[in-house]
Amino acid sequence: MNRELLHKETHPFFGDTELSALDFMTIRDLCELGGYQNDLPLFAVLTAMFSTLQEGSLCLNIDKNSLSDKLQLFMESKKAKQISAQFLSGFAENRYNNLISKNIDTYLPLIAYESKEKKLLYFQKFFFHESRLKHRLKAFLRTRESCKLSGKKEKEILKEIFSDNLAIRVSKQGTPVEKDQDQVKALRLALGSQFAIISGGPGTGKTSVMVNILRCFVRAGIEPRQIILAAPTGRAAQRMTEAIHSQINSIKIPCPEDIELLNLTGSTLHRILRYKTYSHDFHYRDTNPLPASVVIIDEVSMVDVVMMERFLSAIDPAKTRLVLLGDKDQLPSVEAGAVFAEMIPDETKDSIFKNRLIVLKKVYRSGANLLHLAKQINQGKCPEYSPVSLGSALLLKQDSWSFVLPDDNINKWKKQLRLWVEHHYLGRINKDNKSYKELILEAVKLDADSLASSGDGRDILSRIFSGIEKARILTLLRKGVYGCSWINSIIAQYLSFELEPLTRIRKDIFAGAIIMITQNDYSKKLFNGDVGVAIKNIDGNYRVFFKRFGSHIFFDMDFLPKWEPGFAVTVHKSQGTEFDDVLLVLPDNEKHRLLTREIIYTGFTRAKKRVILYGIEPAFKTALQRKIERKSGLTW
């Protein structure tokens, strides 16, 4: 293939895919490596492979009909069938043996794996990790419990943790969490097996189940120092730590075993395995397993197949119990694979995990209407609606949603964003409470130390963060007028004039600016996804405050890790968070590849009280019709 084909305008399929120039350079190099410089069918199939990876699949189905359907995404139907047939003919005649291996033990860039049901084409890397992951999970299923409790002891533990004085409560002075049947089954599963999977949607009590599992384990004789809490992101790991503190502190009279759990902290999968940059490997791996009796991984839906395989390879099934927690209906990982969802097939299929799986169904979050709506979305059903204006939508009653149609005029979209800002940041939603603007103006009168340590300062900060957590704009995109970067710039431009009209050093930094950390900094205990608020100190410098275990920490603006404005975030970034009100903004392209029911479900379930869906109707209907189906060989 000629070198000049690197240019976009001369690439055969460049204009019809979302692949980058780097992807096409790799495709060109692979063709040259095998000696297939002018083989158009191979070039087309490799383009389809990269496109499939971009969608999150691990492999490409190369049976006749599936391959032809895939190629039709970037060429007309007749040509796709012709090229598909040419490739498969060449493949059958072993024409591509320099590049594609049919023997899984032979190392070539691509592997063709054939089973009774499918004929799949992998890049070597993903076939390797998928195969090892499959083997590892089956090893967990075969292993007997490392420490089996008697039925009597199990019964005593469960009775104790649900007793009045020792039960987790909905708040410090609140009622005990309900002794839900499915939650009790989940506790028994975790206590009685070496491997447990617990899935549940928002409000089903996954957090209290996790903490109660920990309480059961320490009562069963497992020391907290033998327990590892893991999550795919720093923020998710931090939420595990916060959950333990808040729930243990809600117990009337916590016993010593419960108090010991306060020493546990969540950490990221990478950090737990101790990545070694000099060797591009992990300290803990199959030959050096993690020294733990229990490993609990939260937000497993966000873990890709490569990281899951590397992490599980570092766990010895004979010595370590494994508990996986997550929501099977949420967005899968950004990288390739959908491991968690594939472990939990729908009711029409059987699964080898059926005896190690509990799905929490009962929802304790208020808002029956929004929960019913989320269920409809998850089933691909379009709920009834009548479009309204944004002004009307902002006045919705609790537990309701509305649909707002966009306007082609960009200035009108800016006015819509101004309405959102005026409602949530400048005005008083409740007459008894001060507005966000009023609280910021009070905060700047105090120096940072007084704000963080005095009674009045802590009260102001507490109410500021309560305001921040009430509302958020969620988008599918980062760029463009419906992307979070542009939306944040417009909101910051408007709000900065309101909150700090006289002295503005940078357009995105002002008293009251909401920021989101985008890079972990373990020395400061700041994690990707942490949200803070900038306050101008009386010395003229800006400090950014963050919530931590019922108090607040702050840092000088110049000493923060990487960050970006946080008035609007992507749906992917919002996973694991909740807000009273959500404005969910859709792309104006009804064919956009991100439009799926999983992303709408995830966006809707971030809201506890109200959802406003902003976008064109065809985009919403397209999303409901599309379900993420990531291709892999993980058939259970």
Side-chain angles (χ1 to χ4, degrees), residues 40-155:
L40 186 62
L42 178 63
F43 188 89
V45 169
L46 289 175
T47 302
M49 284 284 289
F50 275 85
S51 175
T52 296
L53 277 177
Q54 189 181 67
E55 294 165 0
S57 292
L58 295 170
C59 52
L60 177 68
N61 192 335
I62 56 170
D63 68 55
K64 183 178 179 181
N65 292 332
S66 297
L67 181 57
S68 175
D69 289 344
K70 181 65 180 178
L71 295 179
Q72 285 179 43
L73 296 178
F74 45 90
M75 65 180 72
E76 57 93 18
S77 176
K78 185 177 180 180
K79 187 175 182 182
K81 290 178 181 179
Q82 181 184 8
I83 287 183
S84 173
Q86 289 173 353
F87 172 81
L88 292 174
S89 174
F91 177 76
E93 295 167 2
N94 298 321
R95 187 188 306 161
Y96 301 116
N97 282 1
N98 293 342
L99 197 63
I100 302 173
S101 172
K102 296 179 183 179
N103 181 350
I104 61 174
D105 296 320
T106 302
Y107 188 85
L108 283 175
L110 289 95
I111 289 282
Y113 177 76
E114 193 167 351
S115 66
K116 292 180 181 179
E117 301 87 14
K118 299 176 181 178
K119 187 185 293 182
L120 304 174
L121 187 63
Y122 289 84
F123 284 114
Q124 180 77 236
K125 168 186 173 180
F126 294 106
F127 181 80
F128 172 79
H129 287 291
E130 182 188 88
S131 300
R132 282 174 56 95
L133 176 60
K134 188 185 295 186
H135 174 77
R136 205 64 180 171
L137 286 170
K138 287 181 177 178
F140 273 101
L141 292 173
R142 290 193 302 268
T143 307
R144 293 184 178 182
E145 301 90 309
S146 55
C147 177
K148 188 170 178 64
L149 294 177
S150 67
K152 183 180 178 182
K153 179 65 173 176
E154 180 187 276
K155 191 174 181 180

Side-chain angles (χ1 to χ4, degrees), residues 176 186 262 267 321 348 386 393 432 444 589 625:
L262 295 175
S267 191
R321 292 172 185 261
T348 64
S386 297
D432 298 333
V444 298
N589 175 9
Q625 292 165 8

